[in-house]
């Protein structure tokens, strides 16, 4: 059996997304900036996609800007948010995605900001009381805290953070890459200034993304060139990516509640089977808590094992199971997960992130737990 449990890294494209993209690969190839009919028909399709994304997120099309993915959108929001609004202090956490952490670190190295890191406890919970203390001392800060952690699944309370941001005049950016397409984002009522998306995290194409920036917190462009994306992003638009991400988000919103029920059932079953079959199993962060963690992510901490030490992902791959040791963006790196280090994770225990999608099944969960049981029975 082949099992794909690395959906936090990327997801399989939905066939309906591919069908929506195909005409723009074959027939509708005009440059959307051209004034002739070939260009106009493509421009119309892009604006229809923008309108669809805006409708789903309950915002206006003028606040949606298409990008190459979540990383570019994060970089744009952070770098240009700091520059545009004259911000000299930023607040984040040590468990953010590197698209945020590295960007803020570079801004600090260049002398643009002072960077404050919030404390996190052994479960990966961010200290929001400390956030308020920092905001009181540093009004007009930039806050960047993700909606859900990509490795341990912890959910942050965007309403509480956003209320604090509003109270102290801060610019609030949240990396929503892992929750977009899995949770409703009502941007008329959610107190955030900027959020982001990457299409390939919810069954859309790679190389597609978007940035939302609240209209009263407008920022300068990050990529200069032509007047594309309402003068916010130079460069000919990735038309098929835009068509694809809008269609993927539309599909996600059509069946979001049923997908959540299905995936949560898989995760709950996985947790119960692991507890029953592998003595000493633990779960990193809040990923075991179905109410306080992203329902698509389960980060498992396995008991010390000489046979599997450093080889667990390889051993699972030999059994046809694809999973991750943390963030896919760090795969191949010799250093371990910066998220697990921040949680004071025991290095003698191997950790593996299983992440699910609507295409996964109970049978795949049972097969995976069975193989883990075999791997850890060697030393029983």
């Amino acid at each position: 059996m082949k099992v794909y449990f690395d959906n936090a890294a990327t997801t399989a494209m939905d066939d309906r997304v591919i069908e929506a993209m195909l005409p723009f690969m074959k027939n509708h190839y005009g440059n959307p900036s051209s004034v002739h009919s070939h260009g106009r028909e493509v421009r119309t399709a892009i604006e229809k996609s923008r309108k669809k994304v805006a409708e789903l997120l309950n915002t206006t099309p003028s606040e949606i800007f298409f990008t190459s993915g979540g990383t570019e959108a994060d970089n744009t929001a952070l770098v240009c948010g700091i520059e545009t609004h004259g911000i000299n202090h930023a607040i984040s956490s040590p468990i953010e995605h590197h698209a945020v952490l590295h960007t803020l670190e570079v801004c600090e190295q260049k002398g643009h900001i002072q960077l404050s890191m919030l404390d996190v406890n052994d479960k990966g919970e961010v200290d929001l009381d400390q956030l308020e203390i920092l905001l009181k001392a540093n009004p007009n800060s930039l806050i960047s805290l993700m909606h859900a952690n990509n490795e341990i699944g912890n959910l942050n309370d965007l309403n509480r953070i956003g209320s604090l941001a509003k109270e102290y005049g801060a610019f609030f950016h949240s990396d929503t890459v892992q929750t977009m397409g899995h949770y409703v984002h009502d941007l008329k009522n959610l107190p955030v200034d900027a959020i982001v998306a990457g299409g390939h995290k919810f069954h859309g194409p790679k190389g597609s993304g978007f940035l939302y920036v609240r209209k009263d917190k407008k920022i300068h462009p990050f990529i200069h060139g032509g007047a594309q994306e309402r003068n916010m992003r130079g460069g000919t638009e990735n038309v098929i990516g835009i068509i694809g991400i809008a269609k993927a988000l539309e599909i996600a919103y059509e069946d979001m509640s049923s997908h959540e029920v299905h995936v949560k059932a898989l995760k709950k079953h996985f947790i119960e089977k692991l507890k029953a079959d592998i003595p000493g199993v633990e779960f990193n962060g809040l990923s075991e808590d179905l109410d306080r963690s992203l329902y698509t992510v389960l980060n498992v901490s396995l008991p010390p094992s000489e046979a599997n030490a450093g080889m667990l992902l390889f051993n699972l791959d030999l059994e046809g199971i694809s999973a991750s040791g943390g963030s896919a963006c760090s795969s191949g790196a010799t250093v371990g997960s910066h998220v697990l280090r921040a949680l004071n994770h025991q290095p003698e225990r191997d950790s593996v992130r299983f992440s699910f999608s609507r295409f996964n099944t109970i049978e795949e969960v049972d097969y995976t737990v069975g193989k883990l049981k075999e791997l850890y029975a060697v030393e029983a």
Side-chain angles (χ1 to χ4, degrees), residues 148-354:
N149 188 275
N150 52 301
E151 293 193 33
I152 55 175
N154 287 25
L155 285 165
N156 279 320
D157 185 346
L158 297 190
N159 282 296
R160 183 179 171 193
I161 298 166
S163 296
L164 287 171
K166 195 171 183 181
E167 184 178 349
Y168 294 100
F171 183 98
F172 177 30
H173 158 266
S174 183
D175 183 328
T176 48
V177 163
Q178 288 295 335
T179 56
M180 188 61 64
H182 302 296
Y183 293 84
V184 172
H185 292 86
D186 179 356
L187 294 177
K188 281 279 196 297
N189 298 299
L190 191 64
V192 295
D193 297 312
I195 65 168
V196 306
H200 71 113
K201 304 293 189 179
F202 50 94
H203 308 291
K206 296 173 182 64
S208 68
F210 61 78
L211 166 67
Y212 157 83
V213 181
R214 190 174 295 283
K215 57 190 170 188
D216 59 0
K217 290 290 183 80
K218 285 181 180 176
I219 60 175
H220 302 321
F222 184 60
I223 296 176
H224 301 276
Q228 293 89 350
E229 291 303 293
R230 292 177 168 79
N231 292 301
M232 265 294 290
R233 184 186 189 272
T236 302
E237 295 91 339
N238 172 14
V239 179
I240 57 174
I242 290 168
I243 300 298
I245 193 172
K247 184 64 177 178
L249 195 63
E250 180 181 21
I251 293 167
Y253 267 76
E254 281 173 2
D255 297 313
M256 192 177 287
S257 57
S258 63
H259 293 158
E260 181 174 356
V261 169
H262 171 70
V263 177
K264 264 190 175 175
L266 295 179
K267 181 173 172 177
K268 184 172 183 286
H269 184 65
F270 208 139
I271 292 167
E272 290 168 352
K273 289 281 287 180
L274 285 169
K275 286 180 174 179
D277 291 356
I278 303 179
V281 70
E282 295 175 1
F283 302 93
N284 293 314
L286 298 174
S287 66
E288 182 189 2
D289 190 326
L290 296 175
D291 296 320
R292 300 174 66 199
S293 70
L294 181 59
Y295 60 86
T296 56
V297 167
L298 182 64
N299 199 303
V300 183
S301 174
L302 291 150
S305 160
E306 285 187 25
N308 294 293
M311 296 292 290
L312 179 56
L313 292 179
F314 178 75
N315 290 336
L316 286 172
D317 192 34
L318 289 176
E319 301 293 348
I321 301 161
S322 295
S324 171
S327 171
C329 300
S330 299
S331 59
T334 53
V335 294
S337 160
H338 69 287
V339 173
L340 295 183
R341 280 202 306 277
L343 272 57
N344 298 314
H345 179 261
Q346 298 166 270
E348 67 273 13
R349 295 178 68 94
D350 275 316
S351 289
V352 57
R353 180 188 69 181
F354 297 102

Side-chain angles (χ1 to χ4, degrees), residues 89 91 130-141 168:
H89 180 257
I91 305 166
Q130 183 190 12
L131 172 61
E132 184 164 16
I133 292 167
L134 285 167
L135 287 172
K136 281 180 180 176
N138 303 276
N140 190 40
S141 289
Y168 294 100

